[in-house]
Amino acid sequence: MSTENEGNEVPPAPSAPPAPVESPAASADPVTHASGAPDPVTPPAAPGQEPSAHHAHTHAGTTPGAPSHASGAGAWPPPPPPAVPSYAQDGGSGSGWGASYAAQHPEGSKPAGRRGGLIAAVLVAALVAGGVGGGIGFWAADRNDSSTGSTTVSASNTPADLKRDPGTVADIAGKALPSVVTIEAQGGNGEGGTGTGFVYDKQGHILTNNHVVASAADGGKLAATFSDGKKYDAEVVGRAEGYDVAVLKLKSPPSNLKPLPLGNSDKVAVGDSTIAIGAPFGLSNTVTTGIVSAKDRPVTSSDGASSKSSYMSALQTDASINPGNSGGPLLDAGGAVIGINSAIKPAESGGGLGGGGQSGSIGLGFAIPVNQAKYVAQQLIKTGQAVYPVIGASVALQENTGGATISREGASGTQAVTPNGPADKAGLKPGDVITKLDGSVIDSGPTLIGQIWTHKPGDTVEITYKRDGKEHKVDVVLGERKGES
């Protein structure tokens, strides 16, 4: 799909054999490259097979399958022009594609007048092809195609006249697209990227991912473009790095904003239909479909630009999600938002679509449950900062360790269990291994953090832990932490 080489495209070979024209007698020897090897002749294309693109360039004017004529006046194929367009780095020197004709054929052996013969042949071919096409077009129009005996039946409605039944993907997408925006974020250094967001309320707030806008949060530029092409400048209201949620506000919002309805992610069931909308690889207003593949999936994500990670107990979907879908809505079968598309599991080999280390969708996409995103958005709009529920203990962040182990020491040499904090009051100690929270299995520290962050400060949770090989249960009242640590 890249257009970077469009200016260098070589015209394809004529579709019909050019008519022979008189030209000086040509040498019967095959054309040779600088290396001395004869230039291969393109064989006739097999039925249904396209001719080689390389030969379409190196033998412009040659048609595969054209009858061979004797050398001399009207010989076909005609010899190449005195110079071939240069594509080589060295301006046409050397051999191969892009090498100069003069370098391949000494001046003394070059027959005179060949260039005129080739150009004339190509022009005649073009005129013949154009004349035939025009003649057929006029003949068909004059006949009005009334004598063919063919009968066709037209549909009763054109696509524009068809009405989409309520609840169909087309109906839901048609209603949701005007409320989804493509976000362009540009940092102060000129670097940035593209993501997605959606209208949260009529006041002009846009809900998206933190990693979509992080590069432009301090002194950068943000713009939101709607599906009708109208673009609006925006600014960051608040960001929550740990939740990977951010709220923007349009500086001059239109008066006809339609917020997307928010669903209840707690009521979602595995197998429910999903619709994702976003701008994968910059392709705005892209709609994909799938199902809810799993719930409460522990996911740790990072955009690679920050040392801080985000933790979520995510909705998993097989709807195609790619770079650029981040921040866009994941809808249910009724058109309500059930999540914010945030992360994908790329193929292990990496690379993916377009290279650069960006992998495409392999059917493993993850979304922040909308109930959590809504709670965070309300905090950001109200105070500009997020509030995190905590247990007051540091845990090891290794994956799949059979539980979340309370560290022996906290960050920067602090105590792992905060004195008089929630964990301390419940009797938890360094070395304890937390294996369950409210009955949900905890297999690592990141899983524990993601589960805790589905709650609110002040909630009471039941924690199951192991100490000295024995299992214990205890209730913990969650504390709070304001802002990013």
Side-chain angles (χ1 to χ4, degrees), residues 390-452:
V390 297
I391 63 170
S394 298
V395 295
L397 296 180
Q398 287 82 5
E399 299 280 354
N400 301 320
T401 55
T405 303
I406 298 179
S407 306
R408 297 292 178 181
E409 187 178 272
S412 302
T414 60
Q415 296 185 55
V417 179
T418 304
N420 205 35
D424 187 33
K425 291 180 179 179
L428 294 172
K429 298 180 179 181
D432 289 346
V433 180
I434 299 173
T435 58
K436 290 183 180 180
L437 189 147
D438 284 342
S440 297
V441 175
I442 303 298
D443 61 2
S444 66
T447 302
L448 176 65
I449 296 172
Q451 280 291 330
I452 289 174

Side-chain angles (χ1 to χ4, degrees), residues 126-174:
L127 292 173
V128 169
V132 171
I136 292 176
F138 176 81
W139 176 79
D142 184 57
R143 292 281 300 274
N144 199 26
D145 205 26
S146 60
S147 62
T148 62
S150 175
T151 303
T152 59
V153 178
S154 299
S156 58
N157 293 311
T158 62
D161 297 330
L162 295 175
K163 293 183 178 179
R164 283 18 176 179
D165 293 333
T168 61
V169 174
D171 174 64
I172 294 171

